[in-house]
Structure formats: structure tokens, C-alpha cells
């Protein structure tokens, strides 16, 4: 089970690296939502793999997202003002620096396997930065 969760976290790390390679500015904080955001163990693993803080709202469920969207058209002037007013951060999960090197090694092995299996090219991140 842990290996499965690790793999999902490595895919997320690859996705963030891809976004960064395409020129997106990534901050040190990731806002999380959804049912899985209720698991502190899962959030800690993700924070450790991504080496970023995760902020979990008081209500991470989809209904809150729907309420924000509805309020953005009726009570607020857009989604961002609605979210700022309605979302309360309930928990901040901080990455453990002591785990960084171990997860960096495992992510490198994951990345190498993706290359070996042909899922991504060996120069994948170099190609993105040249776009």
C-alpha cells in the first residue's frame, strides 16, 4: 500500500516538474482538497515527497467547491474572492527535511523507470525547458 501511495506522490512530483519546465511559477505551498485530504498520513507522505507545505482546508470536500462556485456568481465578484472568504486553512503539513534525500533517491529511480519503459524521453525536462 505504501508503495502505491509513493508512486502516486512521484507522479504528482513529475507533474509539478513538468509544469515548472513549461514555465509555470510554483510556490512552496500546495492547497489540497478532496476526500484523500482527510488522511494525515497521506498528506505527510505527499509533503515529504514534494518537499512543499500542504495546506488542508477545514472542509476539503467537493460540496465546498460547489458552494464557492455558486457564491462566486451570487455573493462575491468571482471565484478568487469567494474562495478567499470561504476557505479556512485547518491544517498545515510541513515536509520533514530528514526524509528529503531518501525520497529524492526513490524519485530518481521512479524517473529512471519511466524513461526505461518509454513513458518519458531521457531528455524530457530539458525538452520542456527549451519550449
Amino acid at each position: 500500500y505504501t508503495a502505491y501511495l509513493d508512486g502516486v506522490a512521484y507522479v504528482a512530483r513529475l507533474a509539478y516538474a513538468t509544469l515548472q519546465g513549461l514555465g509555470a511559477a510554483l510556490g512552496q505551498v500546495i492547497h489540497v482538497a478532496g476526500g484523500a485530504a482527510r488522511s494525515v498520513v497521506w498528506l505527510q507522505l505527499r509533503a515529504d515527497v514534494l518537499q512543499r507545505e500542504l495546506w488542508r482546508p477545514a472542509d476539503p470536500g467537493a460540496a465546498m467547491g460547489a458552494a464557492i462556485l455558486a457564491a462566486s456568481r451570487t455573493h462575491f465578484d468571482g471565484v478568487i474572492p469567494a474562495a478567499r472568504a470561504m476557505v479556512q486553512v485547518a491544517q498545515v503539513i510541513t515536509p520533514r527535511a530528514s526524509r528529503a534525500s531518501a525520497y529524492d533517491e526513490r524519485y530518481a529511480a521512479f524517473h529512471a523507470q519511466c524513461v526505461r519503459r518509454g513513458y518519458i524521453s531521457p531528455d524530457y525536462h530539458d525538452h520542456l525547458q527549451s519550449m
Side-chain angles (χ1 to χ4, degrees), residues 12 16 26-33 37 40 42-57 89-97 100:
Y16 283 115
L26 301 180
Q28 286 301 307
V29 172
I30 296 172
H31 297 263
V32 297
V40 177
W42 169 231
L43 293 177
Q44 185 64 63
L45 188 146
R46 285 180 61 200
D48 291 344
V49 169
L50 298 170
Q51 282 300 297
R52 287 183 163 76
E53 275 188 359
L54 302 182
W55 290 10
R56 187 184 66 77
V89 175
Q91 186 175 18
V92 174
I93 297 86
T94 305
R96 297 174 291 190

Side-chain angles (χ1 to χ4, degrees), residues 2 5 15 19 24 27 31-32 42 53 59 71 92-95 101 105 108-109 120 126:
T2 301
L5 294 178
L19 288 170
H31 297 263
V32 297
W42 169 231
E53 275 188 359
D59 184 355
V92 174
I93 297 86
T94 305
S101 65
E105 288 175 21
I120 58 176
D126 296 335

Side-chain angles (χ1 to χ4, degrees), residues 14-27 52 124-131:
L14 179 63
Y16 283 115
T18 299
L19 288 170
Q20 200 163 19
L22 291 170
L26 301 180
R52 287 183 163 76
Y124 179 69
H125 291 293
D126 296 335
H127 171 70
L128 290 174
Q129 291 172 347
S130 67
M131 293 177 91

Side-chain angles (χ1 to χ4, degrees), residues 27 38 45 55 76 84 86 102 105 115:
R38 297 184 193 282
L45 188 146
W55 290 10
F76 295 96
R84 285 188 177 139
M86 296 172 68
E105 288 175 21
V115 169

